[in-house]
Every structure is written in structure tokens, then in C-alpha cells.
Amino acid sequence: MFIEQIEIRELQMRLLQPFETSFGATQDRHIVLIKVSNGKHAGYGEVTAAEGPFYSYETWETAWHVLRNYIIPAVIGKELQAAENFAALVQGIRGHNMAKAGIETALWDLDAKIRDVPLWKLLGGTRERIDCGVSIGIQSSIDKLLSKIAAEVNAGYRRIKIKIKPGWDLEIVKEVRATFPKLPLMGDANSAYTLADIDLFKKMDRYNLMMFEQPLHYEDIIDHAELQKQIETPICLDESIHSAEDARKAINLNACRIINVKLGRVGGHKEARAIHDVCRNSGVPVWCGGMLESGIGRAHNVALSSMENFSLPGDVSASRRYWAEDIIEPPVEVSVDGQISQRNEPGIGYSVKEQFIDDLTVRSQVFTA
Ligand code: OSB
Ligand code: MG
């Protein structure tokens, strides 16, 4: 495929509700969208960098800078055999995986459209329906959290993730368990703890959680291995894993028993599949994480989740949980029993609402071969 044109846009979109984690709250999203075309078809991708450098060092502004000055100049006007060949063009650019993934995922969509196949099939996926979970942010009270959980359980979601942080942890887990004794439940700390908190994890170990997600430092695998040795609940790594190599090392050290795969964090579909394979070969299940995406990033998450070893419900949920109106048609919908069906149209399989996207755009730039 010939990379004839790349368009980058910054969109402003307001989440229906603020989302709070151990590193802060967000509601007004700045989303960088990518459109790549070969002159005949267009592929779409989303940069999942957040507003500030808190989940990772990338932000929508660093992504814009690195895309414009480094990534796009490396790919514009190039002829690619397949989307997989993108990685070789940008291997000299260290990090900035979310910026890279914006282009990489757009190339996969374009590649699938040129080949006239659904993206999930091009990726090698087999799950025609994927199991969905939700991630519920930190709330102002336990009662509010309990009623949010009840609403999501009633909507059919198969797993509930709550965010934890010092002061919003043991008591909360205890209360949620008392109200929902059998619920598939997990806690995500976003790196809010250290090994000094080991007794707290031993106490939370009694509440039969599916996993603790990223309890310790965002670059650590050594201390996670120590924590995993001392608790029964599986550890799931998110922030610490950027590549299949990271996954291999973490698994070898027994730093985790589960991995959360996010397209942005790992640089796109190629590396996400490589992580999937490393984990599958070691008997480690994976699931697809979320970054409060618009419909385009969400559609890529749905397609990725079709792969065999995405055997646990992910943070991939319905558009309506995030947006009054999504930028794709139809929006991502979840069945009453908590599943999303794959689409059979080529590429991401959802159509893109170009006019609505224009209305949300605050700046854009076009690069032509
Ligand atoms: O750690 O998984 C996370 C959102 C923003 C940044 C980090 C994370 C999250 C989520 C939300 O948990 C997942 C979603 O609903 O998109
Ligand atoms: Mg996480």
C-alpha cells in the first residue's frame, strides 16, 4: 500500500462523567485522530495519550509533536507490503508508542480495507463475540460506587474493575464484596503502592479478587515478583509492559500471572499480537485494556480482543458509557449478556462520521507524499 496522505486532527470530546484514578481525574478529552489514505481507501487510528503525563509520559501534545516531526516524515510516500512493516520504519524513534500506534492501527485498518476483509480476521482473531467488563473510577462515596456497580451488573457486564488508591482500598473492597459476594471483581491501583504496603495486599488477598492490576511502580517488575510471591491473588501488569520482550521478562520473573494489553502502550497491533503470543505460549491469559477511547480506538480494541488468548473480559465497553454521541456509526454496543459482536464489514467495520468529526476538530494538519 502506498502512503499517499496522512491527516492528523485534534478533537475535543467531553466524557459523560469524569473518570478518576489514583493519579487524578479527567473529563475533557483531547483526542488525536489519524486518517491514512492510499488514494482509494482510508484507514483510521486513534492516539490514546491522555491530557497530562500521568498514566505515561505521553500526552496528546507530545504525540502531535512526534507525529509531525518524526513519525509521519518516516512513512509518508512509502510503499508498504503490509501494516506489519510499519515498525521497521520507526524503529529508530525510541518510545512514544501511543503516537506510533495511532498511525500503526490506521495502517491496519487501511490494509484490511484494501484486502476487503474485516480487521479482526486479518489479525487472526477467532472470537466473534467478546466478553466485556467495565472500569469504574474512584467515587465520592462507597454508596455511589455500589450503585454504579449494580447498574453495570444489571447492564450485563461480566467483570467489574474498581480503581484503588491509598485510603480507597481495603474498606472499599470489603464493602463491595459484602454486597456482591460472587461478582468477578478486580482492583487497579495504577502504581499507587510500594512493597511497604505488603500487609495491606495480604489483607485484600482474602476477598477473592480476580487480580490486582499494576499495584507497584510503573516501570517495575522486580518488586511485583516479590509481591506476587507473598499473595495468592494474581497480579496483572499494565503500565510496566511495553513490548513482547517486557512480557517475556515479567513472566520469567513471576512478576505477574495476567497481562493487560493496550494498543497505545505497546505501539499497535503488531506488538499487541506478539505479546498475546508470548503470553499464550506461557499459559498467561491477557485482556484488552481501555484508555477512554472514542469509537475509532474502541473499534480497534474490539478487533484485537478477537484473538484466542484474550480469554478474560477486557475494559472494552459500550460507547454510551463514555459519550453522548460517538464518532462512529453504529456506536459500539454491548448485548444484555455482556458481549460485543465483531463486524463483518472490511477494516474496523464501523463507519466514521466525518461531518461530526469536523465539528469536534480544533486543529488539523495534512501531509501529502
Ligand atoms: O489503568 O486501565 C487503566 C483509563 C485511563 C488510564 C488508565 C486506565 C484507564 C481505565 C479505563 O481503567 C478503561 C476504559 O474504560 O477505557
Ligand atoms: Mg490499568
Side-chain angles (χ1 to χ4, degrees):
M1 72 192 137
F2 180 66
I3 315 301
E4 183 172 297
Q5 192 172 82
I6 300 178
E7 180 186 85
I8 59 177
R9 287 171 183 260
E10 178 195 340
L11 270 51
Q12 288 187 8
M13 289 179 79
R14 174 161 257 243
L15 291 164
L16 287 171
Q17 291 157 0
F19 187 83
E20 185 174 337
T21 66
S22 64
F23 52 75
T26 188
Q27 181 158 25
D28 288 301
R29 303 264 5 253
H30 294 250
I31 291 175
V32 175
L33 275 193
I34 312 278
K35 178 178 179 181
V36 182
S37 63
N38 68 343
K40 192 162 172 219
H41 297 280
Y44 295 87
E46 174 171 344
V47 174
T48 63
E51 288 57 57
F54 309 120
Y55 167 79
S56 79
Y57 62 81
E58 290 188 85
T59 71
W60 97 94
E61 286 178 295
T62 70
W64 192 278
H65 159 66
V66 173
L67 281 161
R68 187 188 60 189
N69 294 332
Y70 302 99
I71 299 174
I72 293 173
V75 301
I76 194 81
K78 294 273 161 52
E79 175 70 39
L80 287 184
Q81 278 298 321
E84 258 177 311
N85 301 107
F86 165 80
L89 299 178
V90 295
Q91 67 182 7
I93 302 168
R94 293 188 184 176
H96 297 280
N97 282 351
M98 292 174 174
K100 288 173 181 168
I103 301 274
E104 204 259 9
T105 55
L107 288 169
W108 276 93
D109 182 30
L110 177 59
D111 198 357
K113 283 170 176 161
I114 293 169
R115 292 170 204 262
D116 198 28
V117 292
L119 174 59
W120 65 280
K121 288 194 175 161
L122 184 62
L123 291 168
T126 51
R127 297 178 180 272
E128 287 191 48
R129 293 163 68 79
I130 63 165
D131 292 342
C132 306
V134 292
S135 174
I136 301 180
I138 291 161
Q139 304 295 316
S140 53
S141 71
I142 177 73
D143 287 341
K144 247 187 156 168
L145 177 65
L146 293 173
S147 72
K148 288 224 153 164
I149 294 173
E152 302 294 10
V153 169
N154 288 335
Y157 286 103
R158 296 182 175 209
R159 179 225 69 189
I160 301 292
K161 160 166 140 184
I162 60 172
K163 292 288 190 177
I164 57 172
K165 68 171 184 182
W168 182 267
D169 43 34
L170 180 59
E171 278 308 304
I172 300 301
V173 167
K174 194 172 151 189
E175 290 271 344
V176 173
R177 253 299 163 249
T179 314
F180 302 94
K182 295 246 160 72
L183 179 69
L185 178 69
M186 58 175 288
D188 185 0
N190 288 109
S191 299
Y193 299 92
T194 70
L195 276 185
D197 299 304
I198 210 147
D199 287 340
L200 173 73
F201 283 93
K202 286 182 177 169
K203 286 181 187 143
M204 290 197 286
D205 216 9
R206 297 178 198 141
Y207 294 97
N208 193 27
L209 299 189
M210 294 170 79
M211 65 195 93
F212 294 122
E213 182 178 345
Q214 196 72 34
L216 309 180
H217 191 274
Y218 59 89
E219 286 174 322
D220 172 77
I221 54 175
I222 306 285
D223 285 357
H224 281 101
E226 182 58 34
L227 177 61
Q228 185 69 91
K229 221 187 300 174
Q230 300 201 37
I231 58 175
E232 299 286 329
T233 308
I235 290 176
C236 169
L237 290 178
D238 173 352
E239 283 91 327
S240 294
I241 306 296
H242 301 276
S243 63
E245 268 300 282
D246 286 351
R248 178 183 68 79
K249 291 169 188 171
I251 292 166
N252 278 351
L253 283 176
N254 294 313
C256 64
R257 298 195 194 129
I258 300 170
I259 288 179
N260 161 338
V261 180
K262 289 181 181 167
L263 284 165
R265 201 189 67 230
V266 309
H269 284 296
K270 181 187 183 187
E271 200 64 26
R273 290 200 308 178
I275 293 171
H276 166 277
D277 292 353
V278 163
C279 290
R280 182 197 52 204
N281 296 343
S282 305
V284 170
V286 301
W287 52 274
C288 185
M291 290 294 290
L292 312 172
E293 288 93 343
S294 80
I296 289 174
R298 197 166 298 281
H300 280 284
N301 290 342
V302 172
L304 176 67
S305 304
S306 68
M307 297 194 68
E308 172 203 351
N309 194 37
F310 280 81
S311 54
L312 294 169
D315 282 344
V316 185
S317 57
S319 298
R320 59 187 295 183
R321 294 189 61 248
Y322 303 83
W323 315 111
E325 181 180 356
D326 205 341
I327 61 173
I328 55 167
E329 181 59 39
V332 173
E333 276 162 345
V334 172
S335 67
V336 291
D337 58 345
Q339 293 190 313
I340 296 171
S341 296
Q342 299 292 345
R343 311 270 311 164
N344 287 314
E345 291 81 356
I348 55 174
Y350 293 84
S351 63
V352 172
K353 291 158 80 170
E354 299 270 0
Q355 179 57 55
F356 184 45
I357 287 174
D358 276 346
D359 297 342
L360 299 170
T361 298
V362 293
R363 65 171 161 164
S364 64
Q365 196 168 341
V366 176
F367 304 80
T368 307

